[in-house]
């Protein structure tokens, strides 16, 4: 009862232009409108999440143009399946899951996911760290330097928080492979850090 | 403190955890502004979106209608079987109805107008073969007949009862009157109670007469009717009333004649 009255009051107190803004600031309303095909509402949702989601896709896909294509496809899927999102969990988490899966399917289609130890991207030694800090560009560089297979498993495990069973299912590999890929990814990350003269914080930089 | 990547032990795991957490934090807070064309690409794809969204409803609609059909079919068949069940449920009553008719026929048979009905009556009635006879009843009884049987409650009893028992009652009444006259000759006065007891005896005789058919065998239906209390009572009452009526009529007639 009190909730209702508060809600009504807020709506009635607001002036006309503010009302429109408040309608669009309510994510549930935006989603409902987007389902109905409201282009403006869709744009608001897109603007809210696009940059973040491009960041997610970029984790998996080194080429930013390809990453953007994947993000575009991801958003098309998001809007086309908005009906399926019925307020279960957070909307951002839902979009993020779609983006991650879209990225993986892109990698698979391009057969970038190779679980071979021999496939090694040559390290870019020119990426020396100036400030001695693991800024995001450097972090991304570290990730990019991992082979696709290592990278995907590492990102899914460490960033997205999936278990090995889920990762195995998503990538169509065995759980053992997922575990070994993660192990190798971690090892390589440490190795690369060391090669780049960087150590994890707290242990201190150990330049050689 | 020197950091050895290959150093075993918890420190390494701790470092790795920190590294991973750092990577995660950095990557998650990162935002990359997409090119302005990105939204246009999405928007152009979404122009067909309403159709797609509609299409996502079709499977639901199909599933719903399918469920509806299944439900209707289920209800239809259960209703059908319920209909089939009904005779069984009503069976008790129906048998009673039939019994009533049989009782009447038991006496009517002598007059012989209901010969053709005997067939189904016999089929329908042996109570010891409940299951079989049910089927038989259904086979033989068309639904119309069944409806008739159900719709005619007790009226036929009255009609038919009077006819068959009339003869008997008339006989008995004459007997009673004769006995009363005989008693009057002896005692000069006959109390109402005595007349009543005489009438009761006559009634009992009629009932037993009905119980034992001419062939000497026990009429199962009459026996059954005996057991059916409610029915039996009204039946007895009817016979008694008929007897009394007949008696009174005859008495007045005799009195008139004597006078």
């Amino acid at each position: 009862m009190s909730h209702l009255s508060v809600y009504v009051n807020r709506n009635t107190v607001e002036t006309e232009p503010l009302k429109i803004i408040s309608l669009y600031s309510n994510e549930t309303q935006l989603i409902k409108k987007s389902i109905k095909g409201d282009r403006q509402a869709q744009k608001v949702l897109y603007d809210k999440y696009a940059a973040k989601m491009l960041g997610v896709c970029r984790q998996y896909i080194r080429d930013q143009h390809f990453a953007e294509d994947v993000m575009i496809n991801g958003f098309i899927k998001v809007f086309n399946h908005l009906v399926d999102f019925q307020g279960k969990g957070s909307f951002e988490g839902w979009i993020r899951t779609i983006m991650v899966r879209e990225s993986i399917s892109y990698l698979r289609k391009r057969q970038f996911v190779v679980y071979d130890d021999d496939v090694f991207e040559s390290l870019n030694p020119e990426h020396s760290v100036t400030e001695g800090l693991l800024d995001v560009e450097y972090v991304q560089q570290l990730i990019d330097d991992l082979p696709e297979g290592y990278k995907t498993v590492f990102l899914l495990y460490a960033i997205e928080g999936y278990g090995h069973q889920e990762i195995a299912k998503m990538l169509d590999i065995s759980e053992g492979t997922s575990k070994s890929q993660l192990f190798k990814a971690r090892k390589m990350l440490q190795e690369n850090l060391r090669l780049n003269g960087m150590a994890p914080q707290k242990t201190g930089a150990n330049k050689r | 403190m020197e950091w050895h990547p290959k150093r075993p032990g918890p420190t390494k795991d701790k470092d790795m955890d920190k590294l991973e957490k750092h990577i995660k934090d950095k990557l998650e807070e990162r935002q990359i502004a997409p090119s302005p064309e990105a939204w246009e690409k999405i928007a152009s794809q979404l122009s067909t979106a309403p159709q797609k969204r509609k299409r996502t409803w079709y499977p639901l609609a199909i599933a719903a209608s399918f469920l509806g059909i299944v439900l209707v079919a289920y209800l239809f068949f259960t209703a059908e079987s319920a209909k089939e069940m009904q005779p069984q449920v009503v069976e008790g009553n129906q048998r009673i109805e039939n019994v009533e008719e049989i009782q009447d026929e038991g006496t009517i048979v002598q007059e012989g107008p209901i010969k053709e009905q005997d067939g189904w009556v016999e089929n329908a009635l042996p109570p010891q073969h409940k299951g079989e006879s049910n089927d038989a009843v259904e086979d033989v009884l068309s639904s119309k007949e069944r409806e008739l049987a159900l719709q005619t409650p007790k009226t036929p009893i009255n009609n038919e009862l009077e006819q068959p028992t009339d003869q008997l009652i008339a006989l008995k009444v004459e007997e009673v009157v004769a006995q009363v006259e005989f008693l009057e000759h002896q005692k000069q006065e006959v109390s109402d109670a005595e007349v009543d007891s005489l009438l009761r005896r006559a009634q009992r005789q009629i009932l037993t007469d009905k119980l034992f058919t001419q062939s000497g065998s026990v009429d199962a239906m009459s026996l059954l009717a005996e057991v059916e209390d409610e029915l039996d009572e009204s039946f007895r009452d009817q016979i008694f009333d008929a007897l009394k009526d007949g008696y009174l009529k005859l008495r007045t007639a005799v009195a008139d004649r004597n006078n």
Side-chain angles (χ1 to χ4, degrees):
Chain A
M1 201 53 207
S2 62
H3 282 293
L4 187 71
S5 60
V6 164
Y7 180 75
V8 168
N9 278 342
R10 203 181 56 197
N11 263 5
T12 47
V13 161
E14 275 165 358
T15 49
E16 199 56 29
L18 274 175
K19 219 179 212 170
I20 294 161
I21 291 164
S22 83
L23 272 178
Y24 279 122
S25 68
N26 186 338
E27 198 166 86
T28 320
Q29 283 291 326
L30 281 172
I31 292 168
K32 272 185 190 165
K33 280 176 173 266
S34 298
I35 288 170
K36 284 174 193 159
D38 185 327
R39 188 52 48 84
Q40 211 182 335
Q42 289 171 345
K43 178 75 160 71
V44 173
L45 283 178
Y46 167 82
D47 286 342
K48 189 174 176 187
Y49 293 111
K52 225 172 197 174
M53 293 310 145
L54 182 53
V56 171
C57 295
R58 173 64 184 84
Q59 292 171 21
Y60 295 83
I61 299 148
R62 187 198 288 244
D63 189 315
Q64 192 163 318
H65 295 289
F66 287 137
E68 191 175 290
D69 286 345
V70 169
M71 181 211 70
I72 287 167
N73 285 333
F75 265 107
I76 290 164
K77 279 197 177 154
V78 164
F79 286 123
N80 282 340
H81 295 89
L82 218 46
V83 190
D84 301 332
F85 175 74
Q86 289 155 336
K88 295 171 274 183
S90 85
F91 184 54
E92 188 183 329
W94 185 67
I95 298 179
R96 197 185 169 94
T97 309
I98 290 174
M99 293 300 168
V100 168
R101 285 171 188 271
E102 199 63 20
S103 301
I104 290 167
S105 84
Y106 166 83
L107 292 176
R108 288 171 66 113
K109 263 183 221 156
R110 309 208 71 190
Q111 298 191 322
F112 270 147
V113 181
V114 185
Y115 300 97
D116 191 345
D117 291 2
D118 298 333
V119 177
F120 244 79
E121 297 265 346
S122 63
L123 300 174
N124 300 344
E126 71 266 22
H127 273 276
S128 56
V129 184
T130 48
E131 284 107 51
L133 276 169
L134 293 169
D135 71 344
V136 72
E137 291 303 319
Y138 181 66
V139 167
Q140 184 61 60
Q141 185 58 51
L142 278 174
I143 302 295
D144 286 344
D145 286 343
L146 292 172
E148 297 285 352
Y150 295 6
K151 178 167 73 182
T152 311
V153 172
F154 178 80
L155 287 173
L156 287 175
Y157 188 90
I159 311 300
E160 302 302 327
Y162 288 109
H164 284 297
Q165 208 178 345
E166 291 167 295
I167 294 168
K169 210 183 269 177
M170 283 168 91
L171 300 179
D172 200 19
I173 56 176
S174 77
E175 247 184 275
T177 309
S178 172
K179 278 176 190 170
S180 76
Q181 296 277 309
L182 178 68
F183 176 79
K184 284 166 187 166
R186 280 172 166 169
K187 198 177 153 193
M188 193 179 279
L189 269 177
Q190 289 172 336
E191 206 77 39
N192 293 350
L193 268 176
R194 204 160 52 88
L195 282 174
N196 285 333
M198 276 298 297
Q201 286 166 321
K202 290 251 169 122
T203 56
N206 180 30
K207 308 210 172 175
R208 292 193 178 187
Chain B
M1 193 168 153
E2 204 176 349
W3 181 68
H4 286 293
K6 280 174 189 168
R7 189 174 61 198
T11 325
K12 183 192 152 195
D13 292 341
K14 224 174 125 191
D15 288 346
M16 196 60 220
D17 285 349
K18 273 185 190 137
L19 174 65
E20 275 176 25
K21 194 179 178 299
H22 182 80
I23 292 172
K24 186 178 169 167
D25 290 347
K26 285 288 170 195
L27 287 181
E28 283 197 331
E29 71 191 30
R30 176 186 53 182
Q31 301 207 356
I32 304 170
S35 63
E37 306 93 64
W39 169 247
E40 281 158 34
K41 284 181 191 167
I42 293 170
S44 70
Q45 290 281 320
L46 286 180
S47 55
T48 55
Q51 287 177 341
K52 275 193 174 178
R53 227 175 285 125
K54 262 184 198 168
R55 222 188 297 146
T56 60
W57 284 103
Y58 279 121
L60 271 179
I62 290 163
S65 55
F66 178 74
L67 274 177
I69 289 165
V70 167
L71 191 74
V72 165
Y74 175 75
L75 288 177
F76 179 74
F77 282 114
T78 46
E80 196 84 322
S81 63
K83 240 185 230 172
E84 280 168 26
M85 294 290 283
Q86 250 173 0
Q88 279 189 343
V89 177
V90 179
E91 202 252 341
N93 282 337
Q94 200 187 334
R95 206 175 63 217
I96 292 166
E97 309 280 353
N98 288 337
V99 165
E100 284 164 4
E101 284 174 30
I102 270 278
Q103 262 176 353
D104 305 333
E105 274 156 31
T107 48
I108 286 172
V109 162
Q110 298 148 353
E111 296 164 17
I114 321 179
K115 267 275 158 71
E116 46 180 10
Q117 278 189 15
D118 278 354
W120 68 260
V121 167
E122 270 168 23
N123 272 339
L125 288 172
Q128 62 268 37
H129 302 303
K130 250 189 190 174
E132 293 171 30
S133 68
N134 261 344
D135 297 341
V137 170
E138 272 180 31
D139 288 347
V140 178
L141 286 182
S142 74
S143 59
K144 263 191 191 172
E145 278 172 325
R146 219 180 305 153
E147 270 174 39
L148 272 178
L150 292 173
Q151 278 172 359
T152 53
K154 302 230 164 172
T155 34
I157 309 173
N158 296 332
N159 294 338
E160 291 177 352
L161 181 84
E162 269 152 34
Q163 290 172 350
T165 42
D166 263 357
Q167 292 176 324
L168 265 172
I169 287 169
L171 262 172
K172 290 293 168 192
V173 166
E174 272 172 35
E175 274 177 38
V176 170
V177 169
Q179 278 172 313
V180 169
E181 273 175 353
F182 177 71
L183 282 172
E184 274 177 342
H185 272 293
Q186 289 187 321
K187 293 202 296 174
Q188 290 300 340
E189 197 149 319
V190 181
S191 70
D192 281 357
E194 279 177 316
V195 174
D196 264 14
S197 73
L198 280 171
L199 287 172
R200 290 255 175 238
R201 206 167 67 191
Q203 174 204 17
R204 223 173 297 130
Q205 277 172 348
I206 291 169
L207 283 168
T208 35
D209 278 0
K210 285 173 60 58
L211 202 56
F212 296 97
T213 54
Q214 284 167 324
S215 59
S217 65
V218 176
D219 183 350
M221 277 13 272
S222 300
L223 201 58
L224 222 129
E226 196 106 324
V227 184
E228 301 279 356
D229 280 333
E230 197 189 350
L231 165 77
D232 209 33
E233 257 168 44
S234 62
F235 188 52
R236 280 169 194 271
D237 289 348
Q238 280 171 359
I239 289 175
F240 185 74
D241 287 346
L243 274 172
K244 198 157 190 179
D245 275 0
Y247 170 74
L248 288 175
K249 269 184 209 158
L250 205 62
R251 276 298 275 178
T252 44
V254 168
D256 284 350
R257 192 186 60 196
N258 289 352
N259 285 346

